[in-house]
Every structure is written in structure tokens, then in C-alpha cells.
């Protein structure tokens, strides 16, 4: 998938309980991670990736993931917040000479 498609599409996850078959969570990775109690969206995405690659029978959840147009979910997904790092002080310009 090209970088352009990642910008215009978003990964949408649907999670069902493996025993009962009822819907547990649906949404972007951050939304599902919060609903299922994962630490963050990256850990949820990694768990889903391992689920798809693993050949074992999974007992807790059944996952489905698909790309959908970002325009369909613009109001549902909160904007990504990134922490800004403070600039490192430069040794030769930040201190007065003399």
C-alpha cells in the first residue's frame, strides 16, 4: 500500500468475543485499545498483528481489520497528539561570553 493510501485511509478494527461471538469493540486502534484495556494503540496493533500471523487457535478475541476512507470517520477519531521535545541548549550560543 502506498503512502498516499495511508493518508487517505484509516485502519478500522472490529473485535468479537471468541466464545460468545458478541461484538466487543470497533474503531481505530486507539479506540479499541482504550475499550479493551491495552496500554496504548501500538500495543493493540501489535497484538492484532500477532493474532493474524500466529497459527494457534485463539481463545479470547476474533479480529477483523480493513481500510476505510478517512472521510467516513473524521468525526470519530480524535486527532493524534504528539509530545513536543524541548530543544537542546546549544553550548556556544546559549551562554553569554566573558
Amino acid at each position: 500500500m502506498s503512502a498516499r493510501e495511508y493518508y487517505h485511509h484509516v485502519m478500522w478494527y472490529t473485535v468479537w468475543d471468541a466464545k460468545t461471538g458478541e461484538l466487543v469493540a470497533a474503531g481505530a486502534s486507539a479506540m479499541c485499545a482504550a475499550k479493551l484495556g491495552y496500554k496504548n494503540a501500538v500495543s493493540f496493533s501489535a497484538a492484532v498483528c500477532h493474532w493474524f500471523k500466529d497459527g494457534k487457535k485463539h481463545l479470547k478475541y476474533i479480529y477483523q481489520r480493513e481500510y476505510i476512507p478517512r472521510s467516513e470517520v473524521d468525526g470519530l477519531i480524535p486527532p493524534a497528539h504528539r509530545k513536543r521535545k524541548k530543544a537542546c541548549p546549544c553550548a556556544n550560543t546559549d551562554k553569554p561570553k566573558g
Side-chain angles (χ1 to χ4, degrees), residues 37-69:
Y38 283 87
K39 185 175 180 180
N40 56 31
V42 175
S43 61
F44 171 76
S45 298
V48 173
C49 184
H50 287 290
W51 186 87
F52 277 106
K53 290 183 178 183
D54 195 11
K56 299 176 187 174
K57 183 179 179 185
H58 300 279
L59 302 175
K60 193 163 186 178
Y61 298 120
I62 297 171
Y63 299 98
Q64 179 185 2
R65 60 183 175 184
E66 58 186 324
Y67 282 103
I68 60 173

Side-chain angles (χ1 to χ4, degrees), residues 86-95:
K86 292 184 179 179
C88 295
C90 185
N92 57 357
T93 59
D94 290 343
K95 295 178 182 176

Side-chain angles (χ1 to χ4, degrees), residues 71-91:
S71 60
E72 290 184 16
V73 293
D74 274 342
L76 299 175
I77 300 174
H81 296 287
R82 295 188 178 142
K83 294 180 181 177
R84 292 185 181 216
K85 294 181 180 178
K86 292 184 179 179
C88 295
C90 185

